[in-house]
Amino acid sequence: MMKILTAGALCIASVYYAQNYPVSAIPENLKKNADVVVRKDFTTVQINSIDEIKYQINTVTSVLNKDGDSHAQPYIPYEKGDQISDVKVIIYDESGKKVKSYSKSDFGDFANNSQGVFYSDNRFLGLSYTPTQYPYTIEFSYQITDENTVFIPDFVPFTTTGVSVEESRFTVINKSGIELHTKTYPSKYNYASVVENGSTTQKVYSYKNVPAVEDAFLLPQPSNLLPKVSFALEKFNLKGKQGSMDSWKAFGTWYYNSIIQPVSLSTPAIKSEVAALNLQGSTEEKVKKLYQYMQSKTRYIFVALGIGGWQPMQPDEVQKKGYGDCKGLTNYMKTLLDEAGIPSYYSVINSGTSQISFDPEFPKMGGNHVILMVPTEKGNIWLENTSQQVAFNHLSFRTTDRNVLSITKNGIELINTPSYPAGKNKEKQILKIKLNEDNSITGQGQFAFSGSQYDYSLRYATLSPKEKNETVKSQLDLLHFEKIEMKDFVNDRDNAVAKFNLDFKANHYSKNAGSSMIFRAVPIYSDNIYKTDEKRELPFEILQSFEDEYLISFEIPENYKIDEIPNDTSFSSEFGTYKLSFVKNGNEIKVSRIIKVNKGIYPKEKYNDYIGFRKKTINIDNSKILITKI
């Protein structure tokens, strides 16, 4: 019976491929906001044993414009040992007439090396097709057999904006006798829903008529909007290493014994390294000295080798060569700490602007980055090991406020990384500005950045003086700079603070009004354009909380007097707070501005309220001061 079901699943796909696909048949609602429309996306996953899984992929994609080309390019990622067969590509014109066909022999075979990848076992077959007209349709199918059964992909409608789906099916046929764990995560916003049918050994999941997600302002990641189905085989294989996904404990024990422990060997050279540092003081002081030593002698290069790209390089290899990827550098740092008698834990994380955590109730292989956690009596120390510039015990906005898989010999512990409040993601400006009668200003500024704002400022650390000046001038282009010079840039890697000073002159800052001059109370502020949207269809996301504090001192010309200054203002909302205040002192005006913004995903109904909040802050930033000639 199973053989009949399997044949039937594959034959169903072939029936669809006997059709043609005129673009005129696409429903109009699927063309809205779309660069491509996925007409059919049928994946059949057949699990034959603990070390054999077969994928049959059949897709038909209509490309509506040039921006959609990258979404439809025929592409087959693979690793050594994978078996690829039955590769077919057919190109149709707008009316659905066949234009050209291709086979596997027309594909190129390439190293799957993105920027920063030094060496890797990952490869891909790719077909380069240059369309002569739009729209067009690509029909693409292939089979691939893999020995690694730990990586069954999630079933989602799509992963990016500009894509809509007419019909998508994910069929799982489990012939292995091993239990397959599944979990459906509905859309929190009812954007789409998945339909499930079938039995224990064969399940069919499907989506129909899912419109494209509009690439709107402050749009959350599609993964936060859409449903998905996750899969995990209870007993699995990864490059000959078989393990259990029965629980996080069982999976973590396998991970420790099969992935981490075999490459956690120290050497006499590493022992000597640690001894030569003569570590003294508290645990935190020792960890800091080891960490900054590691940073000083290594650099990041991605390496996708070793048990499917998941196993780190040997620590002695990193020690000798001075480079590694997140896995290798973290493993090397862990080995240094081991030699110092300080326990630490290799921790797998989902790094990205969207805060994605692992499900405590659904064990599954995942993550795209590795960091190190060092437990102490004063709290956990977190080490990002891929940067030579980042501060000690500082995680960037790409790794805060989510959980990690902390690997121990007793299994996996899910631990939360720090969540930085607005006051920790801070920019502080202290500006001393002299107003000139020719409407220009000359000034000095002191700038300091912490938290996520520290992360953004690290780009200055490796720039030349000229590049620093050009970059900060571009960033602060609200002012018409005649000259600008960044001085004294400091990356305080002990306290996660970046600082620099500015000397500048900017023209056209004030305007004449008879014998008076008018100028803006806040020289440097966000000039983003915020537009209301009465037809907002999706929630919006503020990715990071932050606080900006500006202390501004204006010195007016000697032959002028202060005539009018704005009233002090403060207000608050669920999105944050704002305060602007003024003090007159002879020929000096002191301005204090503080704004706090709260992160979060907010419902679409509150979008215009947030836009109103930000417009109000900008309008008050634009408050004018009037001085008059005596």
Side-chain angles (χ1 to χ4, degrees), residues 17 38 40-43 57-61 138-141:
Y17 276 70
V38 178
K40 308 292 179 186
D41 183 1
F42 296 155
T43 297
I57 311 295
N58 301 275
T59 65
V60 180
T61 305
I138 290 187
E139 180 181 0
F140 178 34
S141 64

Side-chain angles (χ1 to χ4, degrees), residues 65-137:
N65 54 57
K66 186 175 179 62
D67 291 337
D69 286 337
S70 61
H71 295 296
Q73 205 76 21
Y75 171 88
I76 307 172
Y78 75 96
E79 290 185 0
K80 183 180 179 181
D82 293 346
Q83 302 170 33
I84 301 170
S85 61
D86 299 332
V87 181
K88 298 177 183 177
V89 175
I90 301 175
I91 310 295
Y92 300 94
D93 66 12
E94 182 176 1
S95 67
K97 180 182 176 182
K98 179 179 175 180
V99 175
K100 197 168 184 178
S101 61
Y102 301 90
S103 64
K104 184 179 178 181
S105 61
D106 297 306
F107 281 64
D109 191 341
F110 307 95
N112 197 3
N113 285 8
S114 58
Q115 185 177 8
V117 178
F118 188 58
Y119 49 89
S120 168
D121 278 339
N122 298 326
R123 300 190 66 81
F124 71 93
L125 298 180
L127 176 68
S128 179
Y129 173 71
T130 303
T132 57
Q133 60 180 10
Y134 296 92
Y136 65 94
T137 298

Side-chain angles (χ1 to χ4, degrees), residues 145 251 300 316 407 440 449 565:
T145 303
F251 178 55
Y300 173 81
D316 67 321
I407 314 295
S440 68
F449 304 87
I565 60 173

Side-chain angles (χ1 to χ4, degrees), residues 361-412:
E361 299 177 354
F362 192 80
K364 178 180 170 64
M365 187 72 152
N368 60 6
H369 188 50
V370 177
I371 57 179
L372 198 64
M373 188 273 287
V374 185
T376 74
E377 292 182 357
K378 295 181 179 179
N380 296 331
I381 295 172
W382 296 94
L383 303 179
E384 168 57 65
N385 302 290
T386 59
S387 171
Q388 296 170 300
Q389 303 297 333
V390 73
F392 169 73
N393 197 19
H394 172 80
L395 293 182
S396 78
F397 63 91
R398 299 182 65 87
T399 49
T400 50
D401 203 18
R402 67 203 74 194
N403 63 20
V404 302
L405 304 181
S406 189
I407 314 295
T408 76
K409 63 181 179 181
N410 297 318
I412 279 175

Side-chain angles (χ1 to χ4, degrees), residues 542-553:
I542 303 171
L543 287 169
Q544 292 292 325
S545 300
F546 66 89
E547 176 182 325
D548 292 345
E549 180 182 5
Y550 298 171
L551 302 174
I552 308 153
S553 174

Side-chain angles (χ1 to χ4, degrees), residues 269-317:
I270 293 175
K271 292 177 186 290
S272 297
E273 276 188 303
V274 175
L277 291 173
N278 191 28
L279 300 174
Q280 302 289 333
S282 66
T283 298
E284 182 177 4
E285 289 169 331
K286 293 176 182 178
V287 175
K288 181 190 291 185
K289 189 167 185 178
L290 278 170
Y291 176 68
Q292 294 181 347
Y293 165 77
M294 183 276 298
Q295 286 181 300
S296 71
K297 64 165 294 180
T298 60
R299 59 194 174 97
Y300 173 81
I301 292 179
F302 181 65
V303 180
L305 298 175
I307 308 186
W310 287 81
Q311 191 165 62
M313 296 168 60
Q314 292 275 1
D316 67 321
E317 191 175 0

